[in-house]
Amino acid sequence: MDCREFQVDRQLRPPQFEAPELTRQEYLRMLQTAKLLEDRRGYVLAKLFATTGLSVSDLPLVTVEAAETGRLAKGREIVRFSEGLQTDLLAYAKQNGRSSGTIFTQKNGSPLMRTQVGVYIQKLGQDARIPAEKANVRALRQLHKTAVAAIEANFDLLVQQAYERQLEMEEVSAGW
């Protein structure tokens, strides 16, 4: 009947929306606010997501043992913790009486639920006066991805420049 607009090709595509990005200054304000409020859990969680790009579902993998070694095995990927994050994770674990196993747990020992983590980050963002649409785990993970992409772009440029210099030196040495 030539009414293609009423047919679905395999599945409906989700609508594209552009979420506002969390800036580095806003992230730093979140950390400063957590420190002022002595909210170590919010501080460490925000720092963890923004510096590693881990998702909430990966939190059970963040163990005392992983913090001690400075890295976490996530399937085939190895996620490294900075020295600062490593120190913060171990201090948080010690403060909460964790000498082994998962660091972020509820009082009964079970891992934190997704919604709890989201609430901690949203509350920290609210206290830091960051718009609600930016105060979430997704925005912190996106901040990590953006930072890594910028570093990789700079690295690619440096590699290209070094290669061009090498070619120029080869041309000079060949005498052309």
Side-chain angles (χ1 to χ4, degrees):
M1 296 184 71
D2 203 27
C3 297
R4 299 275 182 211
E5 68 271 14
F6 298 112
Q7 292 181 340
V8 177
D9 65 335
R10 299 191 189 248
Q11 72 181 54
L12 293 173
R13 289 174 177 71
Q16 294 290 329
F17 66 94
E18 191 158 320
E21 285 194 29
L22 183 69
T23 65
R24 180 71 51 191
Q25 291 76 22
E26 290 169 329
Y27 162 66
L28 292 175
R29 196 166 67 233
M30 283 178 79
L31 294 182
Q32 290 167 344
T33 301
K35 210 158 202 168
L36 286 171
L37 297 174
E38 298 179 4
D39 179 6
R40 187 178 290 257
R41 181 185 357 223
Y43 178 85
V44 177
L45 282 171
K47 194 171 181 180
L48 177 71
F49 295 125
T51 61
T52 64
L54 288 173
S55 66
V56 176
S57 61
D58 296 327
L59 270 184
L61 301 175
V62 181
T63 62
V64 173
E65 296 79 12
E68 288 171 343
T69 62
R71 64 181 181 270
L72 163 105
K74 181 184 164 195
R76 293 184 181 185
E77 180 185 2
I78 299 293
V79 177
R80 300 194 188 282
F81 301 140
S82 66
E83 283 184 39
L85 178 60
Q86 195 175 357
T87 302
D88 291 334
L89 286 168
L90 291 172
Y92 179 76
K94 185 176 181 180
Q95 176 187 0
N96 290 291
R98 298 270 172 222
S99 58
S100 66
T102 302
I103 292 176
F104 297 100
T105 60
Q106 299 178 35
K107 290 181 182 178
N108 65 8
S110 62
L112 286 180
M113 295 185 340
R114 247 184 125 98
T115 52
Q116 289 175 304
V117 175
V119 168
Y120 293 141
I121 299 298
Q122 286 174 347
K123 172 95 173 72
L124 181 57
Q126 184 180 11
D127 291 340
R129 299 192 194 299
I130 293 173
E133 62 272 8
K134 293 182 176 185
N136 55 56
V137 174
R138 184 181 66 245
L140 290 167
R141 292 182 67 214
Q142 185 60 42
L143 180 67
H144 173 261
K145 288 179 187 176
T146 303
V148 168
I151 291 168
E152 287 174 347
N154 288 337
F155 184 75
D156 289 343
L157 179 62
L158 290 172
V159 168
Q160 182 63 34
Q161 289 172 348
Y163 184 65
E164 287 174 9
R165 272 190 243 120
Q166 179 183 347
L167 292 177
E168 289 172 5
M169 290 172 51
E170 289 173 353
E171 286 181 17
V172 169
S173 68
W176 287 98

